[in-house]
């Protein structure tokens, strides 16, 4: 090792800080132009194979000039995003972010906090943001919550707390502490992350009872009651009922008041998955329909969806702060709080969740809420809902389009239907139509299956969307659909080509 000791000590900071300053100025200029003109780009652009091949190259052994790296980013990465910041992106449920949110992430990256422990500003900001989230949902001030990566971890966190609260000693003994198999209940329309949550907490996906829905895709309350009675007779232990505040397929809101009453009668935990839909509570028209959130034991929602914030940040809230903390806290020497100094700060956030290492995700929330204020977010969410109802009306007015589910919030499901095809043919036609719409960059809705029917699904959580963008998607759907039917008539398109 003696030869290595003679080498000069080094680090990873730049040899010339002016290079970083120059590149930083260039990046800001480029990104402002990129965002300002984002609507002029296609909604989605396929990645050429030669670009994909660039990402198969081996690990670099020596360094590259930072300006060269940035040029490579602009050439091979920036032109080919998923597109969720585009005004005509309606796929899945994804937020758009804001310029200020991007700057907040830059600032958080420079600070590079482990924002979980220590007497540092990040923990105070985090606590304030959680308190603001409680205000959003009208949760009690003495409730609790934690910022997480998104709805999946938020729901898993809630299920852990539910299990540990409803079953004595479950934190130590797990599901073996119960005097029977634990069961939880949700509708068949519930997001698949709840199935993963059931696996994570040890009850297994089979014990997550998926209850049928009615014609509006809401949970069948009577079927739920019957299944709970049946399970209890057979020795199962119901411990949690999960309600949907906006299903991912159609945006349907379960009868939350009814579910709350059943949960209280059965002495079970009541959790609401409100990944995007809980935030409709900020729109005056939905406050009463979502009022049960205020009485739920826990609620999960994403700020990076319908609060338009940068990925990634979600939240889960709990009415009972003691139960929340008890589910995760433990005592270890290296996390012991001190009276003063760096270890004398707020309680470590790891006492409220599974992570100890975490970035400063609260900063973008803090800065965004300060920039826009609650009223602006209420207006934006209401605007998206109104746009969804507008899109539903436009679909109804087109003879070749068919609305496949009642519009109840911000999700619109429709398909192209020329009127002379069977279900299987319609499914193939609309799948091909959607792929061509994406490839042409016209718009980027997603898809789902409703009662066996393939549908085009537009979820509007986009602050850049205008009604004209929805009109363009409708026109594009009809144009591509008509072209496909002409190809079929000319023997250029076959309805069985996807069935091989």
């Amino acid at each position: 090792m003696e030869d290595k000791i003679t080498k000069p000590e080094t680090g990873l900071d730049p040899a010339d800080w002016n290079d970083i300053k120059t590149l930083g100025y260039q990046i800001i200029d480029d990104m402002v132009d990129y965002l300002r003109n984002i609507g002029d780009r296609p909604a989605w652009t396929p990645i050429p194979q030669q670009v994909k091949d660039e990402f198969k190259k081996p690990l670099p052994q020596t360094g590259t000039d930072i300006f060269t790296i940035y040029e490579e980013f602009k050439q091979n990465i920036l032109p080919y995003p998923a597109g969720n910041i585009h005004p005509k992106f309606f796929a899945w449920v994804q937020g758009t972010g804001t310029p200020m949110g991007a700057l907040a992430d830059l600032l958080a990256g420079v600070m590079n906090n482990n924002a979980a422990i220590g007497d540092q500003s990040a923990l105070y900001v985090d606590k304030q943001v959680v308190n603001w989230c409680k205000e959003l949902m009208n949760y009690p001030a003495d409730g609790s919550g934690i910022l997480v990566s998104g709805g999946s971890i938020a729901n898993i966190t809630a299920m852990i707390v539910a299990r540990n609260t409803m079953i004595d000693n479950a934190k130590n003994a797990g599901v073996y502490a119960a005097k029977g198999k634990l069961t939880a209940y949700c509708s068949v329309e519930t997001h698949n992350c709840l199935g993963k949550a059931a696996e994570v907490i040890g009850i297994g996906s089979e014990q997550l009872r998926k209850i049928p829905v009615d014609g509006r895709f809401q949970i069948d309350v009577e079927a739920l009651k019957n299944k709970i009675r049946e399970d209890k007779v057979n020795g199962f232990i119901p411990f949690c009922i999960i309600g949907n505040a906006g299903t991912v397929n159609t945006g349907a809101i379960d009868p939350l008041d009814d579910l709350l009453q059943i949960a209280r009668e059965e002495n079970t935990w009541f959790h609401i998955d409100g990944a995007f839909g809980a935030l409709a509570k900020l729109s005056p028209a939905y406050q009463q329909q979502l009022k049960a959130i205020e009485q739920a034991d826990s609620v999960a929602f994403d700020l990076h969806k319908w609060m338009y914030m940068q990925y990634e940040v979600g939240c889960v809230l709990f009415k009972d702060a003691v139960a929340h903390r008890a589910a995760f806290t433990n005592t270890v020497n290296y996390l012991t709080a001190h009276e003063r100094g760096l270890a004398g700060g707020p309680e470590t956030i790891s006492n409220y969740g599974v992570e100890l290492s975490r970035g400063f995700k609260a900063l973008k929330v803090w800065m965004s809420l300060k920039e826009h204020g609650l009223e602006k977010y209420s207006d934006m969410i209401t605007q998206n809902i109104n746009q969804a109802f507008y899109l539903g009306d436009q679909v109804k007015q087109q003879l070749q389009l068919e609305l496949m589910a009642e519009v109840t919030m911000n999700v619109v499901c429709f398909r192209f239907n020329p009127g002379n095809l069977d279900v299987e043919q319609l499914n193939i036609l609309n799948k091909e139509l959607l792929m061509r719409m994406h490839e042409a960059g016209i718009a980027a809705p997603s898809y789902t299956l409703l009662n066996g029917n393939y549908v085009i699904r537009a979820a509007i959580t986009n602050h850049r969307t205008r009604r004209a963008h929805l009109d363009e998607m409708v026109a594009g759907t009809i144009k591509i659909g008509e072209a496909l039917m002409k190809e079929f008539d000319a023997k250029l398109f076959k309805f069985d080509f996807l069935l091989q």
Side-chain angles (χ1 to χ4, degrees), residues 2-44:
E2 291 185 2
D3 60 327
K4 294 185 178 180
I5 294 175
T6 62
K7 290 184 178 180
E9 294 179 308
T10 186
L12 299 177
D13 284 332
D16 187 345
W17 282 99
N18 286 323
D19 286 347
I20 284 291
K21 185 183 292 187
T22 300
L23 180 59
Y25 287 150
Q26 184 62 56
I27 288 173
I28 293 296
D29 286 345
D30 290 347
M31 293 306 101
V32 168
D33 289 341
Y34 182 81
L35 291 174
R36 179 190 292 134
N37 302 308
I38 190 65
D40 298 335
R41 296 173 50 82
W44 180 76

Side-chain angles (χ1 to χ4, degrees), residues 465-484:
T465 296
R466 303 293 181 263
R467 291 186 178 189
H469 297 127
L470 303 173
D471 293 338
E472 290 171 17
M473 179 173 63
V474 168
T477 302
I478 295 172
K479 182 178 180 180
I480 296 172
E482 289 178 340
L484 283 169

Side-chain angles (χ1 to χ4, degrees), residues 443-457:
S446 63
Y447 50 87
T448 193
L449 287 174
L450 298 180
N451 299 320
N453 298 301
Y454 185 97
V455 303
I456 298 170
R457 173 185 168 278

Side-chain angles (χ1 to χ4, degrees), residues 188-189 213-217 249-250 404-406 415 423 427 448-455:
V188 294
E189 292 290 295
V213 294
D214 59 21
R216 302 185 69 196
F217 298 96
N249 271 343
T250 67
M404 298 300 290
E406 177 186 359
R415 68 181 177 183
V423 171
N427 287 352
T448 193
L449 287 174
L450 298 180
N451 299 320
N453 298 301
Y454 185 97
V455 303

Side-chain angles (χ1 to χ4, degrees), residues 8 12 90 127 136 172 195 197 218 220 242 252 311 314 354 398 406 410 421 496:
L12 299 177
F90 313 114
K127 185 174 182 179
L136 289 178
N172 298 312
Q218 297 174 321
D220 185 328
I242 301 156
Y311 281 93
V354 298
Q398 305 297 326
E406 177 186 359
N410 67 325
L421 303 176
D496 60 353

Side-chain angles (χ1 to χ4, degrees), residues 26-228:
Q26 184 62 56
I27 288 173
I28 293 296
D29 286 345
D30 290 347
M31 293 306 101
V32 168
D33 289 341
Y34 182 81
L35 291 174
R36 179 190 292 134
N37 302 308
I38 190 65
D40 298 335
R41 296 173 50 82
W44 180 76
T45 301
I47 307 176
Q49 186 58 49
Q50 66 187 43
V51 172
K52 293 180 181 180
D53 290 341
E54 287 294 313
F55 301 108
K56 297 177 182 178
K57 292 181 177 179
L59 174 70
Q61 299 299 311
T62 58
T64 304
D65 175 75
I66 60 174
F67 297 98
T68 301
I69 296 169
Y70 179 57
E71 288 304 315
E72 187 175 347
F73 164 81
K74 289 200 295 183
Q75 178 178 338
N76 294 333
I77 298 175
L78 185 61
Y80 309 109
N84 52 288
I85 67 173
H86 194 281
K88 288 190 287 184
F89 185 94
F90 313 114
W92 304 294
V93 182
Q94 296 190 10
T96 42
T98 63
M100 189 65 162
L103 293 177
D105 270 349
L106 171 61
L107 296 173
V110 170
M111 293 180 71
N112 195 32
N113 303 80
N114 177 1
I117 188 171
D119 198 11
Q120 55 169 309
S121 57
L123 268 71
Y124 293 92
V125 174
D126 193 289
K127 185 174 182 179
Q128 184 173 36
V129 166
V130 170
N131 286 335
W132 286 350
C133 288
K134 288 187 282 187
E135 289 186 51
L136 289 178
M137 295 296 129
N138 200 24
Y139 256 49
D142 60 358
S144 185
I146 185 173
L147 300 179
V148 292
S149 61
S152 294
I153 299 301
N155 283 313
I156 289 172
T157 302
M159 291 289 278
I160 293 171
V161 178
R163 181 201 64 182
N164 289 8
T165 303
M166 301 307 296
I167 306 299
D168 290 340
N169 200 38
K171 181 176 181 179
N172 298 312
V175 294
Y176 303 106
K179 297 178 180 178
K181 287 187 176 181
L182 301 178
T183 51
Y185 303 82
C186 65
S187 86
V188 294
E189 292 290 295
T190 299
H191 195 276
N192 74 321
C193 72
L194 269 304
K196 294 180 180 179
E199 296 166 6
V200 167
I201 69 169
I203 69 171
S205 56
E206 290 182 0
Q207 272 61 250
L208 179 65
R209 308 303 200 202
K210 296 184 178 180
I211 307 301
V213 294
D214 59 21
R216 302 185 69 196
F217 298 96
Q218 297 174 321
I219 191 170
D220 185 328
V221 172
E222 291 305 314
L224 170 63
K225 291 179 180 178
N226 292 336
K227 188 60 179 176
I228 291 175

